[in-house]
Amino acid sequence: MTSIELPAAADFHVHLRDGSMMETVVPTIKKGGVSLVYVMPNLVPPITTVEQALSYHARLQAIDSSVTYMMTLYLSPEITPAVIAEAAKTNEIFGVKSYPKGLTTNSESGVVSYTQYYPVFAAMEEHDLVLNLHGESPSSETTTVLNAEETFLPTLFDIHEKFPKLRIVLEHCTTAAAVEAVKKCGPTVAATITAHHLYLTIDQWADNPHCFCKPVAKLPSDRAALVKAATSGNPKFFLGTDSAPHPKSAKVGTATGKTAAGVFTQPYAVQYIATAFDRAGRVDMLKGFACDFGRAFYKIVEKGLGSKDGGVIVLSKDPGVVVVDTIGAGEGVVVPFHAGEKIWGLQWKA
Amino acid sequence: MTSIELPAAADFHVHLRDGSMMETVVPTIKKGGVSLVYVMPNLVPPITTVEQALSYHARLQAIDSSVTYMMTLYLSPEITPAVIAEAAKTNEIFGVKSYPKGLTTNSESGVVSYTQYYPVFAAMEEHDLVLNLHGESPSSETTTVLNAEETFLPTLFDIHEKFPKLRIVLEHCTTAAAVEAVKKCGPTVAATITAHHLYLTIDQWADNPHCFCKPVAKLPSDRAALVKAATSGNPKFFLGTDSAPHPKSAKVGTATGKTAAGVFTQPYAVQYIATAFDRAGRVDMLKGFACDFGRAFYKIVEKGLGSKDGGVIVLSKDPGVVVVDTIGAGEGVVVPFHAGEKIWGLQWKA
């Protein structure tokens, strides 16, 4: 199979930033074969009120109104059950995103912080909002970036047990352990898988800043488990690219000495996925993973979304395309994943 | 204890490069409290003949003749038993350094390549040259940078079993498994431990190019095992900094897009060690690790080396010093380990 027609894809984990970077990134959504995106709230400052979310939504619409933008709030003390009730009444906000504290404290204190939000989770369950979990424990004497996801899984089980009707997405899962955990949970628990984690292991990012992200890519056995889950047809696993644009100067460390975490995949989102599925010999499973399962989990039709959501894309293995070296210009120039490498091609059907 | 007098240290694993970088680095050897260095042969092209080694030795002497330079050859098909016999007659060459192939092939082919050098190892055993092992297996579907050292250990055992009198140094060991392996072997097997591996785990280098090296720093439990081995008083473990100067542009990836592997510690070699030993409450074990055990293993006195080797250094916790931001200038500027951080001070005793 060297060509395939699909409905436009949905990407349930994107970073579109704000300001000039937003201007650079938003036009690449459709280019990547995607008509609906679930937009992460980690701006500076983060999106913690309904008003902020609606204002951000309007800024995105102003750049490309043909895309459906679904918004999520940043879990923080400002998010109360009253805010959840208010958010649920909008047509734009569909979830709350939880980020780990990022502090080098022990994992127990991390778990305590989730308990603190149980009243919020109860309100989310009541109002049918989705909890988006960045599932990593803070570093400690026993936890590093390697097992930060696996050590978080008991917290996922805890929240799911306490709130069985709360829809939860374990975002950008990266390990065989996480795949198994999500499969073990009830149907209200799903996971997004990125494009880049279908390709990377630690060996690729160790010396390549453009492949470094959080959660970090792990072992070949973990990558194999992700490819298997993504191509399995299990509707618990669907596309969330976690595409994260950083200016090149933040990636190669010239700005701060450190490497910013994030891989930029937005402009070729579905093409990277198609290429990976093709390598696995499972292009037939692309539609479920990239188009259907996420929309079903988020109840797109049921919730009256997706009036603009649609269109048909055509993916082709031959001749394919070569990923450009950079997107954007000047200080905001971004290096896409696998720059210079050949991947599948994509066109929108007229 | 805030001040300590020691004999000048010996550093049994250094990269001094050639050309202008050599001019920058060699003057920092004494600055770091070291009077004797064991010089790695991975120049471009590598040092594979006695003549090359002696010529390189002369270039180093020309920069600072007060340092004792011990040379090692790069294990490659050019190294024959006849070359070993020739090397052993010199007063400058004391070993042969083995690098892994660095190819993404399976580990079995790596092991086969060591067998190919058994006649060389036999000659080295006969002529009492030291085998310096970079102990990592090539990447494969089951081997990554994380377990590359551990999966190499059976090869160490093999060589030691076949050549029990051959002195072997497992260079820059980074794992609890390697420490245990070296302890298990007979007295002809030792290991060097770097300064930076007493500090780093994967979490520190993941987003910091200046802390990225090969073998990569691993888990907190591995770091704890290295600190314990270095401060244990076991003479099988001694200082080899693996100080590896790379121009800043190669570390932050602006030159190639990739991060060069290596941490630069030469100018503060003993000070980093003293600071780490102090944190472990074992400054009393510094002399054995940094001054005595390596010299004993390499038979410095017995072999008639060390006529220049000497002097006394004074290390002091207070007020200490702050690591400079860069060493060198222009294109060759190098960022030292823990730039901007406070460490112990060092002076040579008049």
Side-chain angles (χ1 to χ4, degrees):
Chain A
M1 189 188 300
T2 58
S3 183
I4 181 174
E5 262 189 38
L6 291 180
D11 183 347
F12 283 93
H13 190 128
V14 303
H15 295 275
L16 301 178
R17 311 302 190 206
D18 209 341
S20 63
M21 186 61 90
M22 174 176 70
E23 301 277 348
T24 297
V25 174
V26 170
T28 72
I29 297 169
K30 296 290 281 283
K31 191 177 174 307
V34 169
S35 65
L36 180 150
V37 290
Y38 192 83
V39 186
M40 290 299 135
N42 59 334
L43 303 184
V44 182
I47 302 293
T48 57
T49 69
V50 168
E51 190 185 356
Q52 284 175 316
L54 298 183
S55 165
Y56 186 26
H57 186 271
R59 293 198 296 282
L60 295 167
Q61 285 272 16
I63 300 173
D64 186 348
S65 63
S66 74
V67 173
T68 299
Y69 305 93
M70 297 172 67
M71 312 307 284
T72 180
L73 300 169
Y74 191 110
L75 188 63
S76 59
E78 291 93 325
I79 307 291
T80 61
V83 171
I84 297 301
E86 185 191 355
K89 284 183 201 149
T90 72
N91 292 315
E92 291 82 11
I93 305 173
F94 297 86
V96 177
K97 173 74 184 287
S98 155
Y99 286 90
K101 284 200 166 185
L103 303 175
T104 311
T105 53
N106 59 42
S107 51
E108 283 86 337
S109 80
V111 173
V112 169
S113 75
Y114 291 94
T115 312
Q116 158 193 352
Y117 289 110
Y118 278 7
V120 174
F121 297 163
M124 291 171 64
E125 192 174 39
E126 182 191 342
H127 293 285
D128 202 23
L129 291 196
V130 170
L131 176 62
N132 309 109
L133 287 177
H134 179 125
E136 288 195 296
S137 300
S139 286
S140 72
E141 264 310 299
T142 52
T143 305
T144 67
V145 293
L146 289 172
N147 64 346
E149 182 174 274
E150 187 160 359
T151 56
F152 178 83
L153 296 174
T155 304
L156 169 65
F157 289 134
D158 277 354
I159 300 173
H160 178 48
E161 190 187 350
K162 300 271 189 326
F163 306 97
K165 292 181 186 166
L166 175 64
R167 283 179 294 146
I168 300 174
V169 180
L170 184 66
E171 299 292 341
H172 43 54
C173 72
T174 61
T175 56
V179 166
E180 288 312 305
V182 168
K183 280 157 69 175
K184 252 186 224 164
C185 292
T188 51
V189 174
T192 50
I193 295 177
T194 76
H196 52 282
H197 285 110
L198 300 180
Y199 291 88
L200 300 175
T201 69
I202 182 172
D203 281 18
Q204 276 82 55
W205 64 259
D207 68 351
N208 189 333
H210 301 296
C211 292
F212 170 63
C213 59
K214 290 285 192 72
V216 299
K218 300 182 173 72
L219 306 184
S221 52
D222 292 307
R223 179 180 55 188
L226 295 174
V227 171
K228 192 174 171 194
T231 60
S232 68
N234 183 336
K236 279 173 166 280
F237 299 97
F238 51 83
L239 175 61
T241 59
D242 193 18
S243 171
H246 289 284
K248 189 176 177 183
S249 64
K251 287 300 284 180
V252 296
T254 46
T256 63
K258 293 287 187 84
T259 307
V263 174
F264 182 51
T265 50
Q266 203 72 68
Y268 302 94
V270 180
Q271 290 158 266
Y272 294 125
I273 298 285
T275 308
F277 275 50
D278 181 37
R279 288 185 189 178
R282 297 314 304 258
V283 173
D284 58 319
M285 303 311 263
L286 198 53
K287 181 169 176 286
F289 179 76
C291 311
D292 300 340
F293 301 154
R295 284 187 172 97
F297 186 84
Y298 275 94
K299 307 181 182 178
I300 302 299
V301 175
E302 192 178 325
K303 297 248 172 192
L305 260 175
S307 54
K308 297 172 304 187
D309 184 28
V312 172
I313 54 177
V314 183
L315 290 153
S316 47
K317 182 172 186 173
D318 299 306
V321 297
V322 172
V323 177
V324 298
D325 287 340
T326 56
I327 306 273
E331 290 295 303
V333 72
V334 184
V335 177
F337 182 58
H338 278 183
E341 296 191 24
K342 195 189 160 208
I343 59 174
W344 279 47
L346 183 149
Q347 289 192 299
W348 285 81
K349 196 168 182 182
Chain B
M1 190 188 297
T2 59
S3 183
I4 182 174
E5 264 190 38
L6 291 180
D11 183 347
F12 282 94
H13 191 126
V14 302
H15 295 276
L16 302 178
R17 312 301 190 206
D18 209 341
S20 62
M21 185 61 90
M22 174 176 71
E23 302 276 348
T24 298
V25 174
V26 170
T28 72
I29 297 170
K30 297 290 283 281
K31 192 176 172 308
V34 169
S35 65
L36 180 150
V37 289
Y38 192 84
V39 186
M40 290 299 134
N42 59 333
L43 302 184
V44 182
I47 303 292
T48 56
T49 69
V50 169
E51 189 185 357
Q52 285 175 315
L54 298 182
S55 165
Y56 187 25
H57 185 270
R59 294 198 296 284
L60 295 167
Q61 285 272 15
I63 299 173
D64 186 348
S65 64
S66 74
V67 172
T68 299
Y69 304 93
M70 297 172 67
M71 313 308 283
T72 181
L73 300 170
Y74 192 111
L75 188 63
S76 58
E78 292 93 324
I79 307 291
T80 61
V83 172
I84 297 301
E86 184 193 357
K89 283 183 201 147
T90 72
N91 292 316
E92 291 81 13
I93 304 173
F94 297 88
V96 177
K97 172 75 184 286
S98 154
Y99 286 90
K101 285 200 167 186
L103 301 176
T104 311
T105 52
N106 60 41
S107 50
E108 284 85 336
S109 81
V111 172
V112 169
S113 76
Y114 290 94
T115 312
Q116 156 193 355
Y117 288 111
Y118 278 7
V120 175
F121 297 163
M124 290 172 65
E125 192 174 39
E126 181 191 344
H127 293 285
D128 202 24
L129 291 197
V130 170
L131 176 62
N132 309 109
L133 287 177
H134 180 124
E136 288 195 295
S137 300
S139 287
S140 72
E141 264 309 300
T142 53
T143 305
T144 67
V145 292
L146 289 172
N147 65 344
E149 182 174 275
E150 189 161 357
T151 55
F152 177 84
L153 297 174
T155 304
L156 169 66
F157 290 133
D158 277 354
I159 300 174
H160 177 47
E161 192 189 349
K162 300 272 189 325
F163 306 96
K165 291 181 185 164
L166 175 63
R167 284 179 295 147
I168 300 174
V169 180
L170 183 67
E171 299 292 340
H172 44 53
C173 71
T174 61
T175 55
V179 166
E180 288 312 306
V182 168
K183 280 156 71 175
K184 250 186 226 165
C185 292
T188 51
V189 174
T192 49
I193 295 177
T194 76
H196 52 282
H197 285 110
L198 301 180
Y199 290 88
L200 299 176
T201 69
I202 182 173
D203 281 18
Q204 276 82 56
W205 64 260
D207 68 350
N208 188 335
H210 301 295
C211 293
F212 170 64
C213 59
K214 289 286 193 70
V216 300
K218 299 184 174 73
L219 305 184
S221 53
D222 292 307
R223 177 180 58 188
L226 295 174
V227 170
K228 193 174 171 193
T231 60
S232 68
N234 184 336
K236 279 172 166 281
F237 300 98
F238 52 82
L239 176 61
T241 59
D242 193 17
S243 172
H246 289 284
K248 188 177 178 182
S249 63
K251 287 299 284 179
V252 297
T254 47
T256 62
K258 293 287 187 85
T259 307
V263 174
F264 182 51
T265 50
Q266 204 72 67
Y268 303 94
V270 181
Q271 291 158 266
Y272 294 125
I273 297 286
T275 308
F277 275 50
D278 182 37
R279 288 184 189 179
R282 296 315 302 258
V283 172
D284 57 319
M285 304 310 265
L286 198 53
K287 181 169 176 286
F289 179 76
C291 311
D292 300 340
F293 300 154
R295 284 187 173 97
F297 186 84
Y298 274 93
K299 307 181 181 178
I300 302 298
V301 175
E302 191 178 326
K303 298 248 172 192
L305 260 176
S307 55
K308 297 172 305 187
D309 183 27
V312 172
I313 54 176
V314 183
L315 291 152
S316 48
K317 182 173 185 174
D318 298 307
V321 296
V322 172
V323 176
V324 297
D325 287 339
T326 56
I327 306 272
E331 289 297 301
V333 72
V334 184
V335 177
F337 182 57
H338 277 183
E341 295 191 26
K342 196 189 159 206
I343 59 172
W344 279 47
L346 183 149
Q347 288 192 299
W348 285 81
K349 196 168 181 182

